[in-house]
Amino acid sequence: MARSHSTTGRHPHRQARDEDTVSTAERIIAATLQLLSSRCLHAISIRDIASAAHVNSALISYHFKNKENLYNTVVASQFQAYQQQVVSAFSTEGDIRKTICTVCHLIASFHHSNPCMLILYFRELTNPSPAYKTIIQPCIKEASDKCVAMIKAGIQAGVIAPATNPRHVTLSLVGMVNYFFMTRQIMQDLALEPANNVNEYIDFVCQTILKSIVVE
Amino acid sequence: MARSHSTTGRHPHRQARDEDTVSTAERIIAATLQLLSSRCLHAISIRDIASAAHVNSALISYHFKNKENLYNTVVASQFQAYQQQVVSAFSTEGDIRKTICTVCHLIASFHHSNPCMLILYFRELTNPSPAYKTIIQPCIKEASDKCVAMIKAGIQAGVIAPATNPRHVTLSLVGMVNYFFMTRQIMQDLALEPANNVNEYIDFVCQTILKSIVVE
């Protein structure tokens, strides 16, 4: 983790120094994430990161000790953001039809703003680092459990057909949305819709899921 | 491409030598594919491949000239197999409902038997080699065009609702099936269904797509 701490506000000088520290650490994280979007970790050197972040290599060691720690921080920041911005919306309250649409659009807008998350995720699935067990597995477990609870609440409320398999719904919903972002590059390269029409496609996904599971 | 040629049958000695050649080239291809399932190309040496295929390094140079040629052959063999075994079933004839179910199960059984194809595909999408333009783009373009033609034939036959967007159907169908195989490892690691129940999940995918697009 970054060694930066929250400011106390008591010492203006220390506050200024801490803010510099935060922004340096964040700049290093952002540059690493950018480099990871097209290369795997072992193809990236501390020198590459320093150059991309416009910092001295020594500052990377100061903030993150080594490349593996920095990588862990990058993965953790992406999956924590996913939990906060997306998984927290997997709710058992309210109209399940509305919740499912909200969730689909939230997943889409998260990947739109964080295009590296799925790249890191799938690299970890085929070539796991220690982050796979400590960061990724717990996040996916929580996301899956909460999505299943959400579908079960819909069954309990009599809105979703009782024979519905909540894991099938979870997997198909996430699959339809995530696959869009994973293949967006080739859709754009081949000029295939809906590359540039994500909202229309996500509306189709919501309707498809709801038609499949809502009691008629 | 491999330098092996088909046998003429006229010279028993030459035939035996050619068969050795074919099986050596195939062994090298299979070993490379296996290594590529957990590492990217530049993390694999000719020595690694020679050792995994139980051949002398010189034989790799003899058959494939260099690592890049070998990689191209591996990618081509995977995408050609996909075209022959899957894309050829994207038909405009017959009952579209039956064709869609056949196609979903064919895609699934292809990825079940060829677990490296999606790994190669997604590595190429984030870090393309020359194979992306020459092999992958044409294959995906043909698959997409044929799937769209298949959906359009269903609309023409009055079975699929006229307002259906064929690209949305194509993307969601492939997304639901492929995402299963891309995340199967973490489902197994977390003991999440349907990791070991692919047929039941694919049946759910077929029903979901058909409910969404078939005229009531």
Side-chain angles (χ1 to χ4, degrees):
Chain A
M1 294 297 278
R3 287 191 197 154
S4 51
H5 307 287
S6 64
T7 57
T8 60
R10 277 178 300 175
H11 301 285
H13 284 304
R14 189 201 285 177
Q15 185 174 341
R17 228 181 304 133
D18 282 350
E19 277 170 4
D20 280 354
T21 303
V22 170
S23 88
T24 302
E26 281 173 356
R27 229 163 57 225
I28 294 168
I29 291 175
T32 308
L33 195 56
Q34 183 54 37
L35 290 170
L36 282 166
S37 69
S38 63
R39 281 188 260 168
C40 49
L41 184 65
H42 77 262
I44 302 170
S45 65
I46 287 284
R47 216 175 177 165
D48 295 332
I49 298 168
S51 151
H54 304 291
V55 301
N56 189 297
S57 298
L59 275 174
I60 297 176
S61 309
Y62 170 74
H63 284 291
F64 300 98
K65 225 171 85 187
N66 56 40
K67 206 169 73 170
E68 285 65 35
N69 259 353
L70 168 56
Y71 176 75
N72 258 334
T73 309
V74 168
V75 174
S77 75
Q78 289 281 297
F79 281 80
Q80 274 162 15
Y82 186 77
Q83 275 177 306
Q84 284 158 10
Q85 292 169 42
V86 178
V87 179
S88 62
F90 293 1
S91 164
T92 55
E93 310 289 321
D95 184 339
I96 180 73
R97 287 161 289 209
K98 228 176 135 184
T99 310
I100 285 180
C101 293
T102 306
V103 161
C104 288
H105 281 282
L106 267 177
I107 299 175
S109 84
F110 182 85
H111 292 310
H112 186 81
S113 314
N114 299 277
C116 293
M117 194 263 206
L118 287 170
I119 297 172
L120 293 180
Y121 182 31
F122 286 99
R123 234 177 258 154
E124 284 287 334
L125 286 182
T126 56
N127 193 7
S129 80
Y132 177 65
K133 254 198 165 33
T134 56
I135 299 165
I136 297 175
Q137 277 196 355
C139 176
I140 299 298
K141 178 82 173 82
E142 193 200 331
S144 172
D145 287 350
K146 285 195 74 175
C147 199
V148 164
M150 177 181 90
I151 306 297
K152 282 186 176 163
I155 296 174
Q156 209 111 40
V159 181
I160 295 182
T164 304
N165 179 327
R167 276 290 307 157
H168 288 176
V169 179
T170 301
L171 184 60
S172 59
L173 182 155
V174 176
M176 282 190 277
V177 178
N178 285 7
Y179 202 77
F180 171 91
F181 289 95
M182 301 177 70
T183 57
R184 190 173 203 176
Q185 185 60 55
I186 197 163
M187 288 194 280
Q188 281 169 341
D189 292 340
L190 293 171
L192 293 174
E193 274 315 306
N196 300 311
N197 223 337
V198 54
N199 280 328
E200 211 186 297
Y201 175 69
I202 301 298
D203 285 340
F204 169 81
V205 169
C206 298
Q207 285 163 27
T208 298
I209 283 289
L210 291 180
K211 267 195 194 167
S212 169
I213 63 174
V214 166
V215 174
E216 275 146 38
Chain B
M1 293 296 279
R3 289 192 195 152
S4 50
H5 307 287
S6 64
T7 57
T8 61
R10 278 177 300 174
H11 302 284
H13 285 301
R14 188 199 287 174
Q15 187 173 340
R17 228 181 304 133
D18 283 350
E19 276 169 7
D20 281 352
T21 302
V22 169
S23 88
T24 302
E26 279 172 357
R27 231 163 57 226
I28 294 168
I29 290 174
T32 308
L33 196 55
Q34 184 54 38
L35 291 169
L36 282 167
S37 70
S38 62
R39 282 187 261 168
C40 50
L41 184 65
H42 76 264
I44 301 170
S45 67
I46 287 285
R47 216 173 175 167
D48 295 332
I49 298 167
S51 152
H54 304 291
V55 300
N56 189 297
S57 297
L59 276 174
I60 297 176
S61 308
Y62 170 74
H63 284 290
F64 301 99
K65 226 171 84 186
N66 56 39
K67 207 169 71 169
E68 285 62 37
N69 258 354
L70 169 55
Y71 175 76
N72 257 334
T73 309
V74 168
V75 174
S77 76
Q78 289 281 298
F79 281 80
Q80 273 162 17
Y82 186 78
Q83 275 177 306
Q84 282 159 10
Q85 291 169 42
V86 178
V87 179
S88 62
F90 293 181
S91 163
T92 55
E93 310 290 320
D95 185 339
I96 180 74
R97 287 161 290 211
K98 227 176 136 183
T99 310
I100 284 179
C101 293
T102 305
V103 161
C104 287
H105 281 282
L106 267 177
I107 299 174
S109 84
F110 182 85
H111 291 311
H112 185 82
S113 313
N114 299 277
C116 294
M117 194 261 207
L118 287 171
I119 296 171
L120 292 181
Y121 182 30
F122 286 99
R123 234 177 258 154
E124 283 286 335
L125 286 183
T126 56
N127 193 7
S129 81
Y132 177 65
K133 253 197 165 36
T134 56
I135 299 164
I136 297 174
Q137 278 196 355
C139 176
I140 299 299
K141 177 82 172 81
E142 192 200 330
S144 172
D145 287 351
K146 284 196 73 176
C147 199
V148 163
M150 178 181 90
I151 305 297
K152 281 187 177 162
I155 295 174
Q156 209 111 39
V159 181
I160 295 183
T164 303
N165 180 327
R167 275 291 306 157
H168 288 178
V169 178
T170 301
L171 184 60
S172 59
L173 181 155
V174 176
M176 281 191 277
V177 178
N178 285 7
Y179 201 77
F180 171 91
F181 289 94
M182 300 177 71
T183 57
R184 191 173 203 175
Q185 185 60 55
I186 198 162
M187 287 194 280
Q188 281 169 341
D189 293 339
L190 294 172
L192 293 174
E193 276 312 308
N196 299 310
N197 223 337
V198 53
N199 280 327
E200 212 187 295
Y201 174 69
I202 302 297
D203 286 340
F204 169 82
V205 169
C206 300
Q207 286 163 27
T208 298
I209 283 289
L210 291 179
K211 268 196 194 166
S212 169
I213 62 173
V214 166
V215 174
E216 277 146 37

